[in-house]
């Protein structure tokens, strides 16, 4: 399947809904800083509000994500998005409110819609595209998110300084409400497979995927290093701090290119091996950023780092699909989202503390060392998980591998849906062998994941 074949009406509609739901996430931290920066102690208050927002995401993603059910996903996601819009609207309409009120609104804006990220990804991969196109679908999602993160800072700065500080947050509220309404143009839920894992509790299923979450947090930790320490590093190198914006835009552009290239073909090696190689590459790029003296070298390395990091994120999502049954994927994606947010927050806090006692380049190297430890722990855990589930269908029946669902798997359509045409794909008959998450290459070739 080629990228062109993904240009169906359901996928395009999904893309618009995803932009409405995810762009406010990228806008929020900077938008709350601009909202209160002219108040006494404005920057400190802005940092507090941004922390409240991220804390809301970390809490809301797993707590609400575990409650999303395939047959009622649309209503649950819409309710969360509407509540999140209320939080954004509260920030935009009450900029002079007491700090505790603003913090409550920021927490609500972060927590309430947090499960929608996992739900939307499950809807895309579980209903809107066939199994053999999952890699391409995840690549398209990654490109879309890279574009959002590249555009959002400029949009927030232009609106806050050129119109009014509250406008970015009011725009975020409108976008989230539009996303909630757009959900009714999509199927209500996604297909699940009844497997041997059905009898296990959701919490136990999610806990079993902990190695994937650890490596996912590591990949976002490196992003935090790039975003939060780059201005300090440029100043330390006697380079204009204003270059930080274009350099980070180059990183985002590299991520979009990397996601596109990842979906163009099948890649050799197991997902675990591929993930480790990509993470080592990103860590090497971060090390070069800390050591290179000139802006040209830093710019090139950041673009390469973005390309490799996009591939690492996609491998984590594919690994989660392989590890969890389809009924638990939305919750799994939400926990991954929370783990990534926690990794970003911890790395950012550690980086800020290190800057008080050491130079920015050494702080980056310390962050790289921490990341490598997380990668090693995650790879070790995934190796144990693979060995434990390699005993046969009795132990891995509920997991979709690159060779398709286990022998005991049986497709169960989401309840209450309309015809399969609404989802843009006809569900396979029970017992049919499906292609795996990665499937054949876009331009042909074998499936490199059959050995998993």
């Amino acid at each position: 399947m080629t990228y062109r074949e993904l240009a169906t009406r359901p996928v395009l509609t999904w893309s618009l809904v995803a932009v409405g739901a995810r762009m406010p996430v990228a806008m929020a931290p900077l938008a709350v800083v601009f909202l209160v920066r002219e108040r006494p102690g404005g920057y400190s208050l802005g940092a507090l509000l941004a922390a409240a927002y991220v804390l809301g995401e970390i809490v809301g993603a797993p707590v609400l994500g575990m409650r999303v059910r395939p047959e009622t996903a649309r209503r649950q996601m819409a309710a969360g998005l509407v509540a999140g819009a209320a939080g954004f609207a509260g920030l935009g309409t009450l900029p002079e409110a007491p700090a505790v009120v603003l913090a409550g609104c920021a927490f609500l804006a972060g927590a309430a819609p947090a499960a929608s990220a996992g739900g939307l990804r499950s809807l895309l991969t579980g209903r809107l595209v066939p199994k053999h196109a999952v890699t391409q679908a995840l690549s398209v999602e990654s490109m879309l998110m890279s574009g959002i993160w590249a555009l959002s800072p400029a949009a927030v700065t232009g609106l806050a300084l050129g119109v009014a500080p509250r406008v970015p947050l009011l725009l975020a509220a409108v976008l989230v409400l539009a996303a909630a309404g757009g959900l009714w143009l999509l199927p209500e839920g996604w297909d699940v497979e009844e497997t041997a894992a059905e009898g296990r509790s959701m919490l136990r299923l999610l806990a079993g995927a902990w190695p994937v979450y650890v490596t996912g947090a590591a990949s976002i930790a490196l992003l935090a290093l790039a975003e939060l320490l780059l201005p300090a590093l440029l100043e330390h190198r006697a380079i204009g701090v204003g270059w930080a914006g274009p350099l980070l835009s180059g990183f985002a552009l590299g991520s979009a290119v990397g996601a596109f290239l990842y979906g163009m073909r099948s890649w050799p090696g197991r997902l675990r091996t591929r993930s480790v190689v990509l993470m080592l590459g990103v860590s090497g790029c971060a090390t070069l950023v800390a050591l290179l003296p000139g802006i040209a070298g830093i710019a090139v390395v950041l673009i390469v780092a973005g390309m490799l990091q996009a591939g690492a994120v996609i491998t984590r999502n594919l690994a989660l699909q392989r590890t969890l049954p389809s009924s638990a994927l939305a919750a799994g994606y939400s926990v991954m989202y929370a783990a990534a947010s926690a990794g970003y927050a911890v790395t950012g806090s550690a980086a800020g503390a290190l800057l008080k006692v050491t130079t920015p380049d050494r702080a980056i190297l310390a962050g790289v060392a921490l990341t490598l430890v997380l990668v090693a722990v995650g790879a070790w855990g995934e190796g144990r998980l693979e060995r434990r589930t390699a005993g046969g269908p009795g132990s891995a029946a509920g997991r979709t591998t690159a060779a398709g669902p286990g022998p005991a798997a049986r497709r169960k359509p989401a309840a209450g849906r309309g015809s399969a045409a609404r989802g843009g794909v006809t569900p396979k008959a029970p017992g049919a062998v499906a292609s795996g998450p990665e499937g054949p290459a876009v331009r042909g070739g074998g499936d490199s994941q059959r050995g998993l």
Side-chain angles (χ1 to χ4, degrees):
M1 187 170 187
T2 64
Y3 281 119
R4 182 178 297 178
E5 290 177 274
L6 289 178
T8 62
R9 182 174 180 179
V11 173
L12 293 176
T13 302
W14 179 92
S15 299
L16 293 175
V17 172
V19 169
R22 298 295 292 156
M23 190 164 183
V25 176
M27 296 170 61
L30 184 59
V32 294
V33 172
F34 276 110
L35 180 72
V36 297
R37 70 187 184 97
E38 294 184 359
R39 291 175 54 164
Y43 283 110
S44 297
L45 177 57
L48 173 65
L49 296 180
Y53 179 84
V54 173
L55 179 62
E57 290 184 299
I58 294 173
V59 173
V63 171
L64 299 179
M66 289 177 62
R67 288 163 172 76
V68 174
R69 296 292 177 265
E71 62 273 12
T72 59
R74 180 169 60 191
R75 284 170 284 168
Q76 290 175 287
M77 288 191 291
L81 289 169
V82 170
F88 282 115
L91 288 168
T93 56
L94 302 171
E96 300 299 327
V100 65
V101 174
L102 294 178
C105 290
F107 183 89
L108 177 63
S116 64
L120 284 170
R121 184 176 297 139
S122 295
L123 185 60
L124 175 66
T125 60
R127 183 69 197 280
L128 300 183
V129 300
K131 287 288 185 182
H132 68 267
V134 166
T135 297
Q136 287 76 40
L138 291 174
S139 296
V140 167
E141 182 200 27
S142 184
M143 287 186 279
L144 197 63
M145 296 305 110
S146 296
I148 288 172
W149 284 92
L151 174 64
S152 294
V156 169
T157 302
L159 291 172
L161 298 181
V163 184
R166 67 177 66 194
V167 171
L169 291 161
L170 295 177
L171 174 61
V174 172
L175 288 172
V176 173
L177 280 177
L183 286 173
W184 263 259
L185 300 176
L186 297 171
E188 184 169 352
W190 52 87
D191 293 338
V192 297
E193 290 168 356
E194 294 178 345
T195 69
E198 290 292 332
R200 298 169 62 189
S201 69
M202 180 68 73
L203 187 60
R204 187 178 177 186
L205 285 170
L206 297 176
W210 69 264
V212 185
Y213 307 141
V214 170
T215 316
S219 66
I220 301 300
L222 287 173
L223 175 62
L225 287 177
E227 289 189 342
L228 301 177
L229 291 180
L230 185 60
L233 178 69
L234 293 177
E235 189 173 356
H236 182 67
R237 294 275 190 266
I239 301 172
V241 178
W243 282 104
L247 288 174
L248 290 175
S249 295
F251 181 90
L253 177 62
S255 296
V257 173
F260 177 80
L261 293 176
Y262 193 96
M264 286 291 291
R265 51 159 293 177
S266 293
W267 297 91
R270 298 186 175 192
L271 281 175
R272 174 167 58 97
T273 305
R274 219 179 299 165
S275 175
V276 170
V277 170
L278 289 168
M279 287 300 301
L280 289 177
V282 180
S283 299
C285 289
T287 301
L288 289 175
V289 167
L291 299 178
L292 291 174
I295 188 171
I298 293 175
V300 172
V301 169
L302 280 176
I303 292 174
V304 175
M307 295 174 65
L308 297 176
Q309 200 244 3
V313 171
I314 294 173
T315 61
R316 296 300 79 211
N317 290 329
L318 290 171
L320 199 62
Q321 275 207 331
R322 180 178 62 84
T323 304
L324 295 176
S326 55
S327 58
L329 269 179
Y333 287 137
S334 295
V335 173
M336 175 85 87
Y337 183 80
S341 298
Y344 190 100
V346 170
T347 304
S349 300
L354 285 172
L355 284 178
K356 297 180 180 179
V357 297
T358 189
T359 57
D361 51 352
R362 292 177 180 175
I364 290 177
L365 294 176
V368 170
L370 173 62
T371 299
L372 291 176
V373 171
L374 293 176
V375 171
V377 171
W380 170 79
E382 283 192 70
R384 288 190 60 193
L385 186 61
E386 288 177 0
R387 289 190 293 271
R388 189 166 66 245
T389 58
S395 59
R399 299 184 178 95
T400 301
T401 67
R410 182 163 58 87
R411 281 183 96 67
K412 179 175 66 176
R417 291 190 319 227
S419 66
R422 289 175 58 196
V425 57
T426 302
K428 295 178 176 59
V433 177
S435 298
E438 295 208 65
V442 174
R443 295 182 179 175
D447 184 356
S448 63
Q449 290 303 112
R450 289 191 184 278
L452 283 174

